[in-house]
Amino acid sequence: SASASTIDIIKRVKQALPRIQATLPKELEMTQLFDQSIFVRAAINGVVREGVIAACLTALMILLFLGNWRSTLVVATSIPLSIFCSIIILGALSQTINIMTLGGLALAVGILVDDATVEIENIHRNLAMRKPMIRAILDGAMQIAVPAFVSTLCICIVFVPIFFLSGVAKYLFQPLAMAVIFAMLSSYLLSRTVVPTMVKFLMRGHLEEIDTSLAHGLGEHDGSEEKIDNEPREKPAERREKKPHGFLGKVLGFLSGIHESFNRVFEKIRDRYVNALRWCVGNRKIVFIAMGAIVLISLCVVPFLGRDFFPAVDAGQFRLHVRAPAGTRLEATEERFYQVGRAIREVIPPDEIDNVLDNIGLPTSGINLAFSDNATIGEADALTPKHKPTAQYMHILREKLHRDFPDTEFFFGAPDIVSQILNFGIPAPIDIQVTGRDPKGYEIANQIKQSVAQIPGAADVHVHQVVHGPDLRVNVDRTRAQQIGLSQNDVARTMLISLSSSGQASPNFWLNFQNGVNYQVAVQTPQYKMDTLQDLKNTPVVAPNQPRPELLGNLATVERRESPIIVNHYDVQPVFDVLANVQGRDLGGVADQINKILDQTKKNLPRGTFLRVRGQVDSMNKSFAGIGAGILFAVVLVYFLMAVNFQSWTDPFIIIMALPGALCGIIWMLFVTGTTLNVPSLMGAIMAIGVATANSILVVSFANDERCGEHPKNSHDAALSAGFTRLRPVLMTALAMIIGMLPFSFGLGEGGEQNAPLGRAVIGGLIFATFATLFFVPVVYSLLRKEEFVCDEDEEFEREERRTNTDEKQPEDE
């Protein structure tokens, strides 16, 4: 069921075990051998823990910037409220709490504070201009209402392409995208309602706690010199309040001292930033050349990143398939598995082995075989899971087992639930299918196997089908059998009962009246009496009306032959599967070399024979194509949205100039950390693009306001003033997101590897995008906005009217 929960089902199964145990004999013990919910629960707990750490770090960063615990409390409150709103909407849409939805909420933690942080900072800026409380709140909210709304929509729009994905990626990442979108929309709604209300009531009578050093640099800037109001605001008597004493007073004093020190350092950094920005605006040609060089060099690094569909997840276990030579007896296979198990224990220390489970001659799944990677068919196959750490031991065991057991085939399967879903029932991430009815199909598959095995990084390369299974063909002389009153059915029935027991042909049961249990009664020739071909020929053949039995050797001839043990079809056509795993290399790099081999092989294929690559490679290519096209489509949507908002084609172009920086940062962060391009890292790229666009909107919007204010400025001075004034909110937004992603970027805990690329992409993209927003965007603005800015008269009139009405409605104590 789509609404079923792995954890819930396993929990209910465990609850039912004591009741089942009570119905069994006391001597019978039940032991739990495997529990997939342990990994799922640990992965979910890890995401929750990292999300909480990210929220706490983000709150501390905001406290450091604002220097006011009340404002920090307002901003921090928006995080859980937005998350709860998103969870409510997800629940209404029948979504569950899983790794992907929690990952989306954790991804949004850093950006959830964006709307509230920008509004709080803007309110502080208006308070530093000696405005009354309500006037400062209304002006602060009004000034960033539209830019914040457009920024929020930009972040939401970039996730729209996720809803056009298909296959496994669709079901994995649509819940993540929905979690982010709903959380962002909730955050904006809260910033319009709850945040101003909390500011009014929490800050009322506590204006002296707003560090006046925050006003330092928030005044007007004309581009040539700094006009900064260093005079402390005159505090009315009614606003004065005794500062708390004791432990609380010491804590607040300590935090205040840290903030003052930080603010002094920040002001020095701002001064140097203004000087650097002034130089960049004055040397636009050099800046453009440097930016172009960075982009070109970054694009040259892309081929070295590698491509994966999904990062490898260390579930603390592995599944090892062991395939003995075809025809090996069950007893000999069991002895071979004992030797393999002993070799494994020589590699893995005993204290790191939790459990070893051997399934000999059984399929790997107890449910419908259509939903399992049925690689273990036949008596010579085995499954040996549950070892850790995985990657290192798998590498060692591949070399050791092939060296110690050259006549045995070994290949590792997907151990964790994530990889099994991504393989979609295929035993390996790469499946090369040879489709066709030509007799040379198996020969072609073996030729491909030998070529693929030579590719660096390709591991466990083998042909799935076994076609040389030894068997005995019994040819009954029907004329001879009919002469003595026997039929073909009598011969077949007798052999079936002798070799496989009467339980197959004639089930018989005996009821024990003492305990009320039915027992199956079966008749079969003992196996130790059927160990030669002559013993088989001496099998007596009987019939209901036959006076005496006849030996099988007198009725039939027996010949040794070979026949397929595993037969597969795809779309009715018979197929041979060449399966390959990947070790120490990216999936895309191995797949590219496989495609080159297949291109050469296709030239000599018989008529009616076709080659196709399935598995994660196929899903990866489709997902990358969908996400790549979707990102371009999202950028176009964002551009049109901003064009409607700014009523200009130029301003959106200036804003998206931060995106090349974001892409360069993503590329270099993935390259430095050794992370491949995969779907999670592309999701992080989408998030970084949205946040970079949002920060650029703040800068460009303020620059336009400067050119349309009471003292209009030219594009050069407006760009400097925008960078000077918006430095704090841009850094706060970017740092909040970067700090929020830090716990995920380390990939700690169960399943942490799947969120690490996402966090690294966001961090790298925002670091470069922030520099592009603070330096390159103002330079582009000063270049493209040379004409006089014409303000909308109706908009200016409404703004002045609203300001006048607000002044008239101010309470006396304000």
Side-chain angles (χ1 to χ4, degrees), residues 34 85 106 130 305 441 481 564 600 632 787 793:
F34 181 73
C85 291
R130 299 189 180 89
L305 293 181
Q600 295 294 327
L632 295 178
E787 74 280 359
E793 295 181 0

Side-chain angles (χ1 to χ4, degrees), residues 425-497:
I426 299 176
I430 301 177
D431 179 12
I432 307 169
Q433 282 190 342
V434 182
T435 307
R437 298 185 179 276
D438 193 279
K440 295 183 179 180
Y442 183 72
E443 180 182 347
I444 295 173
N446 274 285
Q447 292 176 357
I448 295 174
K449 166 195 168 183
Q450 295 175 2
S451 300
V452 172
Q454 304 301 319
I455 297 176
D460 302 334
V461 184
H462 67 282
V463 179
H464 177 65
Q465 288 74 19
V466 179
V467 299
H468 299 301
D471 62 4
L472 299 175
R473 178 63 59 89
V474 179
N475 297 313
V476 179
D477 187 342
R478 299 187 181 184
T479 303
R480 169 68 176 162
Q482 189 175 11
Q483 290 176 350
I484 60 178
L486 296 174
S487 65
Q488 183 89 353
N489 181 61
D490 295 330
V491 177
R493 185 182 180 89
T494 299
M495 292 184 62
L496 179 64
I497 294 175

Side-chain angles (χ1 to χ4, degrees), residues 178-239:
M178 285 191 290
V180 175
I181 291 173
F182 296 147
M184 289 302 304
L185 294 177
S186 302
S187 174
Y188 180 79
L189 180 62
L190 292 172
S191 70
R192 300 294 95 198
T193 55
V194 176
V195 171
T197 305
M198 292 184 66
V199 170
K200 181 178 183 299
F201 286 98
L202 282 178
M203 301 305 301
R204 191 182 187 90
H206 297 278
L207 293 181
E208 69 278 1
E209 291 188 10
I210 301 179
D211 195 335
T212 55
S213 60
L214 183 62
H216 185 83
L218 293 179
E220 300 296 328
H221 190 273
D222 63 0
S224 59
E225 62 177 354
E226 299 179 20
K227 297 181 180 180
I228 301 172
D229 184 6
N230 287 321
E231 297 293 331
R233 188 205 327 248
E234 184 179 349
K235 304 183 181 71
E238 59 272 16
R239 290 185 183 173

Side-chain angles (χ1 to χ4, degrees), residues 191-376:
S191 70
R192 300 294 95 198
T193 55
V194 176
V195 171
T197 305
M198 292 184 66
V199 170
K200 181 178 183 299
F201 286 98
L202 282 178
M203 301 305 301
R204 191 182 187 90
H206 297 278
L207 293 181
E208 69 278 1
E209 291 188 10
I210 301 179
D211 195 335
T212 55
S213 60
L214 183 62
H216 185 83
L218 293 179
E220 300 296 328
H221 190 273
D222 63 0
S224 59
E225 62 177 354
E226 299 179 20
K227 297 181 180 180
I228 301 172
D229 184 6
N230 287 321
E231 297 293 331
R233 188 205 327 248
E234 184 179 349
K235 304 183 181 71
E238 59 272 16
R239 290 185 183 173
R240 299 180 184 274
E241 179 180 333
K242 283 188 176 182
K243 293 185 179 180
H245 297 282
F247 178 74
L248 181 59
K250 293 181 180 178
V251 172
L252 293 179
F254 175 73
L255 295 177
S256 177
I258 293 179
H259 170 67
E260 290 177 358
S261 301
F262 169 79
N263 208 52
R264 285 192 295 269
V265 175
F266 179 80
E267 292 304 328
K268 295 179 181 178
I269 295 175
R270 191 208 295 267
D271 294 339
R272 294 182 180 180
Y273 161 70
V274 171
N275 294 329
L277 180 59
R278 185 181 295 112
W279 182 90
C280 291
V281 173
N283 298 271
R284 289 194 291 255
K285 183 179 295 186
I286 298 177
V287 173
F288 276 98
I289 294 175
M291 189 66 182
I294 293 174
V295 172
L296 290 178
I297 295 174
S298 300
L299 293 178
C300 295
V301 177
V302 173
F304 299 97
L305 293 181
R307 307 186 319 277
D308 280 316
F309 181 47
F310 209 76
V313 177
D314 188 355
Q317 60 189 19
F318 62 78
R319 297 166 62 194
L320 174 62
H321 295 269
V322 182
R323 180 183 287 173
T328 305
R329 289 184 60 86
L330 189 63
E331 298 85 355
T333 304
E334 183 180 8
E335 176 62 25
R336 178 64 57 88
F337 292 153
Y338 172 76
Q339 298 173 1
V340 171
R342 186 170 57 186
I344 292 174
R345 287 177 172 84
E346 292 176 359
V347 174
I348 305 176
D351 58 338
E352 295 186 11
I353 298 179
D354 182 25
N355 187 24
V356 178
L357 176 62
D358 295 337
N359 289 334
I360 303 176
L362 299 175
T364 63
S365 175
I367 60 174
N368 191 334
L369 294 181
F371 298 100
S372 66
D373 50 349
N374 49 349
T376 54

Side-chain angles (χ1 to χ4, degrees), residues 664-675 760-761 763-765 767:
C664 293
I666 294 168
I667 293 171
W668 282 107
M669 179 59 74
L670 297 181
F671 178 75
V672 171
T673 58
T675 307
R760 293 165 187 169
I763 292 174
I767 290 176

